[in-house]
Amino acid sequence: MASVALFPGLSDELGLDIEYTQAGNLRLIESPEYAQTMQTDIGRQQDLGLDVRWLNADDVAAMAPALAPAAILGAGYCPTDGHVNPFRLTVGYFQAARRAGADSLIGREVRAITQTDGGGAMVQAGPHTIRAATVVIAAGAGSAALCQLMGVPLPLTPFCHQSMITEPLPPLFAQMFGTLPAGLYFRQTTHGGVHFGGGDSIRRAEAHTTPQTLRYMTGRITRLLPMLRGVNVLRAWGGVDAHTPDGMPVIDRLSEAALVATGFSGHGLALGPIVGRYLARWLETGRKPALLSPFGAGRFKAAL
Amino acid sequence: MTEIIVIGAGPAGVAAAVTAAEAGARVTLIDENSLPGGQYFKQAALPAPASLPPTLAENFRQGQALLAGLSHKNITFRGNTLVWNVTPDRTVSLYGPAGPETLAAAQLIIAAGAYERVMPFPGWTLPGVMTVGGAQLLLKGQRLLAGQRILLAGTGPLLQVAGVQLLEAGAEIVAIAELQPLGSIIARSPRFLGHRDKVKLALNNARRLKRAGVPVKFGYAIVRATGENEVSGAVIARVDAAGHPRPGPESALAVDTVCLNFGFAPDTRLTQLAGCKHHFAERFGGWAAITDDNMETSQPGIFAVGEVRGIGGVEAALPEGRLAGQVAARKSGYRTDESAGPTRRAARRARALVGQLNTVFAVKPGLMTLAQDDTLICRCEEISAGQLRAAIREGITTLNNLKPWTRAGMGRCQGRICGPILAHLLAAETGLEAQSAGQFTVRPPVKPVPLSTLLPQNNNDEVAHDK
């Protein structure tokens, strides 16, 4: 919820339009056995103070007329959710960091991280050696190997997720959509393409697509959006997420000179900005913010 | 399981298919065009025309002789069929007249050919500015002239070859702007002494153009194209050894068509999707698939022949295709009488010559300065040179980083056209070698296909969940 409050102001803060669209999130129900699960979910989330409600089929049809009405029984609706252009979000932060005085090295592999006698860190990146008081490891699925360089094992599992995007279309809907059971999400980008993904969760560290998963995702989305059958798909790709055993991130101190923030288990885009803010506070004050306390690496001692 | 699938029915693919079929293997030959022949033998599968200009007639005869082999009973030709994905396990995804289909191949031969390289300049996106190959396609495939008053610009022997073809077909060739100065071509010509037929052909073309009064301007580049809604003029200027326009007079030409060719780049999209290893070979057009002596790539059972291995022309494509056809047939359990030695030697000899040619007709880095900050580089997403230069100043050094940063390469062509240009732009702005820009990671589909193409073809598509 803290993260949701952050997004609307980010384009102004970063000086770059991150294409944030806050039009709500619908988790669509396609078969009756999941309607009850959704109602229970909604009740639990309402108890946590989240504005979530049940929409029946007519409500969904009124809200998103592009969806095939026959395929949908209802949805869980959270009006405060949104979606964003992940590239522009990343570029915006990068440029803002540079303006604030950060140096950058792109396209270099970190081969060694060592603690210096003075208590700082020394990072070997390609031909460069960088010294710093603190190093923050936030390398997604690559974080496990970097933490291992410092002798700290983390129980991260790489999962490859697949996505596709269609050619640009006239505006169809502004909301973000997911399904229960999980397996498909979709949205229309500001550029106009319908971006959808999910499909599988295959344990592998290589980012590439598989024909079977592309067919599966296509089958599911064309049931919900039959008008997409004749629309061209431009691109399909795979990306690797780092997952933890409990699906919650690891945000902790590894040593005197190193912090880690990883294992977002598929939620890195939504949580990245708020976690980044708290990490900065931690670096500034030297004290771990209370909000980050549940995410210690110690909770996985038994798993290692 | 199909014994052998050959992708691409140009010279290399046809030679591979015919050789494998004659050895006894069953071959499926797939091409995106309705007829076999590729770009080089485009018209050879059509009925013989009453009259053809002399240069096209020779091309037609050679093509017919090659394509005659396709009547072999072991060959199934599937035209109008796009291969939009290939996986390392040799699963081939098709989109053709019968709808989507997935085939599995025991042996897969990729003969996907090449695409033309162009360099950007103000006005290069105007209608009427096209590639030389595009104009040749119209001429060979449809017997249409691209225009009446044509400027050919770029570098390489193709400019003069196409100049003669267009001239014979009735166009006026206003000028040919060849990037290389005549002196540097002559200085390197002793390398071609062993290839008298090639030299003779080139001299013939030059004589024909001279007789017709076509000005062939050596050491010149097109610096801009002008026109309101379509091209109506072009300006050419002398360039220095690095490709920068020299101060001094420019020539403004009245034209209705500009045809560009700055050599070719291997089409490695399918070999990349198949996970084959590639290397950067500047004199063979950039990134190319690596193979062993048998044309087999780093992926077992996947072969690459012809331009996919690096720009080698028809003389390399034919023996390489035959070699891959032989080896693939042998791996499928058929015996071939043909000895591989002479075929291998013919392929090597052809490659050596083309490699020399390609170094003579290299693209010059200074040409990148022609693109003004408002000149579009990525045409699909309309990304300008200025936007790209700004991103490069932020520290971007590779194509794959430039893409999410700027959207260049994310449109309908998926970076096929702008990829080689962006590599030059990165090199020009960063001072790094062109190869350090890397390649765009290829994503399926290689060309846009309707989503219905990807619909499940059976009910076995429940996906795995590891968690």
Side-chain angles (χ1 to χ4, degrees), chain A residues 109-175:
Chain A
E109 188 185 349
V110 170
R111 295 190 179 280
I113 306 175
T114 45
Q115 193 141 344
T116 58
D117 293 339
M122 196 166 79
V123 175
Q124 198 71 47
H128 307 273
T129 303
I130 306 143
R131 285 164 197 281
T134 310
V135 54
V136 178
I137 296 175
S143 302
L146 294 179
C147 291
Q148 200 63 58
L149 286 177
M150 305 198 64
V152 182
L154 286 184
L156 295 179
T157 310
F159 277 92
C160 179
H161 290 273
Q162 301 180 33
S163 294
M164 283 191 261
I165 193 158
T166 69
E167 62 191 330
L169 299 171
L172 295 169
F173 38 74
Q175 302 87 348

Side-chain angles (χ1 to χ4, degrees), chain B residues 146-152 166 171-175 255-257 259:
Chain B
Q148 291 304 317
R149 293 177 52 79
I150 301 176
L151 166 70
L152 292 140
L166 291 164
E172 179 191 346
I173 308 300
V174 177
V255 297
D256 61 16
T257 304
C259 298

Side-chain angles (χ1 to χ4, degrees), chain A residues 95 191 203 231 233 235-236, chain B residues 381 394 410 444 449 451 466:
Chain A
Q95 289 174 337
H191 200 64
R203 188 175 291 138
V231 167
V233 57
R235 187 163 61 248
Chain B
E381 294 295 313
E394 301 252 17
M410 288 180 96
V449 291
L451 211 47
D466 285 347

Side-chain angles (χ1 to χ4, degrees), chain B residues 219-267:
Chain B
Y220 274 74
I222 176 167
V223 296
R224 62 186 174 274
T226 54
E228 275 298 314
N229 299 315
E230 55 185 349
V231 66
S232 58
V235 176
I236 61 171
R238 215 180 255 283
V239 292
D240 65 17
H244 296 102
R246 285 186 171 165
E250 300 175 332
S251 315
L253 310 167
V255 297
D256 61 16
T257 304
V258 175
C259 298
L260 303 173
N261 180 281
F262 286 87
F264 294 85
D267 186 349

Side-chain angles (χ1 to χ4, degrees), chain B residues 289-308:
Chain B
I290 300 173
T291 72
D292 62 14
D293 268 0
N294 287 332
M295 305 294 128
E296 196 165 1
T297 67
S298 60
Q299 295 284 17
I302 301 182
F303 298 78
V305 289
E307 312 292 49
V308 181

